[in-house]
Structure formats: structure tokens, C-alpha cells
Amino acid sequence: MTQIVREFENAFNSLTGTEVATVTSVVQLESQDLAQIAQQVQNLTGAKNVRVKTRIDPELIAGFTIQYGRDGSSLIDMSVRKQIEEITSEFEMPAVTLDV
Amino acid sequence: MKNVTHSFVFLAHWPSAGSFGLNTDILATNLINLTVVVGVLIYFGKGVLKDLLDNRKQRILSTIRNSEELRRGTIEQLEKARIRLQKVELEADEYRMNGYSEIEREKANLINATSISLEQLEKSKNETLYFEKQRAMNQVRQRVFQQAVQGALGTLNSCLNTELHFRTIRANISILGAMEWKS
């Protein structure tokens, strides 16, 4: 049943030109922030419509990530965790345990 | 026989005594005896003695000839030995000189090899020291950075509240809007 629903949803989105974006953040985002994110995704993808889903992940420390595209193949990572990891890699450091 | 006859005659003159007597002419008797003995020896031993002497002479001559031959052979061998000795001495001198040269060459090679080994060891030592120094510095640097990051994370976690989260999110949205994305 779940598979059927998913396939139906994909077909519907394809027919209606809708892009699904999953936004993951540490805290629940406000509607205006979600709207701005949806606007950015529409600009990126050129889709007629953008449907936003939200998830909560404290491990991001702060900020958010946007996953979109078919099967979530595209990712925009604006989290603090990623920035810290980038800084760590620049210093050729071993992986630092990020205790949130 | 004359002496024997003379003795019997002497006994005849003294029949009453009944024993041998002494001949007072000792010197004459001995001379006669000696003459007889020598005469017999000379007569019968002449041939034998001659043969013995001839054999002795031949053996002596043979020995002399052998000795002479041995002497000549020995002289030849001595001469050959002297020549060989001279040759061997020359070869020994040559070997000695070559040996000295070889020793000098081996010494130089050993010195060079030792110098090269010392240089390599010195280089290896320096490289090892440098590597250990770099490793220690890296470890210290990593440790310091790790502690700094942990400290920063601790501070961040303790300071972050809902307002700061929203401010961070909105700042990132602005950054996202300012980016020129190419899909």
C-alpha cells in the first residue's frame, strides 16, 4: 500500500510539475521561512510548484539542509555541522566527535 | 818342530826331575816363532789378502764415483734451487708490492664506504628527527584544535536557543538566495 501511495504521489507530482523538497532543521521552521526556502528551490529547479516537507535533526547543531530532486538526489547543506567538518578537513584533522 | 825336539832333549838331560824345564833362550825362541808365524801367514794369506784388498779398492772406487755423481746432481739441484729461489723472491717482491697496493685500495674503499654509510646514517637520522618533530607538532596541533573545536561546540550548544537558531536559519536563507545556483 505504501509503495502504491508513493508511486501515485510521484506520478501526480510529475504530471503537475511539482518539486518535493525535504527541509531538515534543528528546530521547527516558521511558515515564512519555509516559503522563502520553497521560493529558492523553485528558482533552482524551475518547477511550477514546490511542496515542502520538514524534518527535525538535532545533530545538525544549527542551520538546515534541503534535499530535493527525484529520489532526493540533490542536497543543499547549510548546517553548522557541515561548516565545522569543512574547517576540520582544512586542518587535516581526524574526524572530531561532534557531541550535540 | 825344532822347538819341540829341543824340549824333549832338555827333558833327557834331567830324567831324575820328572817335569818340564824352561828354555833360557827366550828371545831366540820368540823370534823364531814370530818368523814362522809370519811366514805361514804370508804364504797362505797372500792370495786372500790380495783379493780382500782388491774388493775393498773396488768398493771404495765405486763409492767415490757414486759420491761424485751425487755431488754433481746435488750441485745441479742447488743451482736450480738457487734460480727458483731468485724467481720466487722476485715474485714475492711483486706480490708484496701488489699486496700493498691492494691493501691501500681496500683501505680507501673501506674509508669511502664508511663515509657513505655515515652520511646515509646522518641523513636518515635527520629525516627521522624531522619526521618525529613534525609528528609531534601535528599531534600537538591536532590535540589543540580538537580541544578548541570541542570547546567551541560546548559553548555553541550551551548558547544556542530558539532565537539564535532562527537567526542562523534566516541568515543561511539569505546566503542561499544570494548564491547563483547552476543545476
Side-chain angles (χ1 to χ4, degrees):
Chain A
M1 188 64 180
T2 305
Q3 184 67 26
I4 295 173
V5 171
R6 185 176 298 109
E7 290 298 329
F8 175 80
E9 186 176 3
N10 290 337
F12 177 81
N13 291 334
S14 178
L15 290 173
T16 58
T18 302
E19 183 71 39
V20 178
T22 303
V23 179
T24 306
S25 61
V26 178
V27 296
Q28 182 63 43
L29 299 179
E30 295 181 353
S31 58
Q32 60 182 359
D33 297 328
L34 290 174
Q36 290 183 11
I37 292 172
Q39 182 64 42
Q40 296 300 329
V41 171
Q42 188 175 31
N43 293 337
L44 287 171
T45 60
K48 295 180 180 179
N49 302 304
V50 175
R51 181 182 174 187
V52 176
K53 296 181 178 179
T54 60
R55 290 182 58 244
I56 303 298
D57 185 3
E59 291 188 357
L60 298 179
I61 303 176
F64 60 89
T65 63
I66 304 172
Q67 194 168 9
Y68 63 97
R70 188 173 178 81
D71 296 330
S73 58
S74 300
L75 175 66
I76 301 173
D77 194 338
M78 304 294 289
S79 66
V80 170
R81 181 185 185 89
K82 180 176 182 296
Q83 294 173 15
I84 291 176
E85 288 176 349
E86 287 178 347
I87 293 171
T88 303
S89 65
E90 286 181 357
F91 281 90
E92 297 180 355
M93 294 286 293
V96 177
T97 303
L98 301 178
D99 298 329
V100 180
Chain B
M1 294 302 294
K2 184 177 180 180
N3 291 332
V4 174
T5 304
H6 187 72
S7 295
F8 283 106
V9 169
F10 181 76
L11 289 174
H13 284 91
W14 305 92
S16 62
S19 63
F20 290 100
L22 295 175
N23 185 0
T24 57
D25 193 2
I26 297 174
L27 183 59
T29 303
N30 286 334
L31 288 174
I32 292 169
N33 289 335
L34 286 175
T35 302
V36 170
V37 169
V38 168
V40 170
L41 287 175
I42 290 171
Y43 180 79
F44 290 104
K46 181 179 179 181
V48 174
L49 183 60
K50 184 176 184 298
D51 292 338
L52 288 174
L53 289 175
D54 287 340
N55 290 334
R56 177 69 175 169
K57 180 181 177 181
Q58 293 298 323
R59 285 200 297 272
I60 290 171
L61 290 174
S62 177
T63 301
I64 290 171
R65 283 195 294 272
N66 291 337
S67 296
E68 187 65 23
E69 290 177 359
L70 286 175
R71 176 176 173 274
R72 285 196 293 271
T74 302
I75 290 172
E76 289 178 0
Q77 289 180 3
L78 180 61
E79 188 64 24
K80 290 180 180 179
R82 187 177 292 110
I83 293 170
R84 188 164 64 249
L85 176 62
Q86 188 175 5
K87 183 178 179 182
V88 168
E89 285 180 347
L90 291 175
E91 290 179 354
D93 290 338
E94 186 177 357
Y95 290 154
R96 191 177 296 108
M97 288 188 289
N98 291 337
Y100 289 153
S101 299
E102 185 69 20
I103 288 170
E104 291 295 327
R105 184 163 54 255
E106 290 293 334
K107 186 170 73 173
N109 289 338
L110 182 61
I111 290 171
N112 290 334
T114 304
S115 297
I116 292 170
S117 295
L118 286 175
E119 289 177 0
Q120 290 174 352
L121 288 174
E122 185 71 17
K123 183 179 179 182
S124 177
K125 183 191 74 174
N126 292 334
E127 289 177 349
T128 303
L129 288 175
Y130 178 79
F131 174 77
E132 291 297 330
K133 181 180 177 182
Q134 290 296 320
R135 194 163 71 98
M137 290 174 64
N138 286 335
Q139 287 178 350
V140 172
R141 187 181 298 115
Q142 289 178 1
R143 185 63 180 169
V144 170
F145 185 78
Q146 191 169 13
Q147 290 179 351
V149 170
Q150 293 292 344
L153 285 175
T155 303
L156 192 61
N157 288 328
S158 63
C159 293
L160 280 174
N161 52 28
T162 304
E163 182 182 357
L164 284 177
H165 276 296
F166 283 123
R167 290 176 63 183
T168 304
I169 289 169
R170 286 163 189 161
N172 286 336
I173 291 173
S174 299
I175 294 171
L176 183 62
M179 291 179 180
E180 294 182 359
W181 295 93
K182 296 180 180 179
S183 60

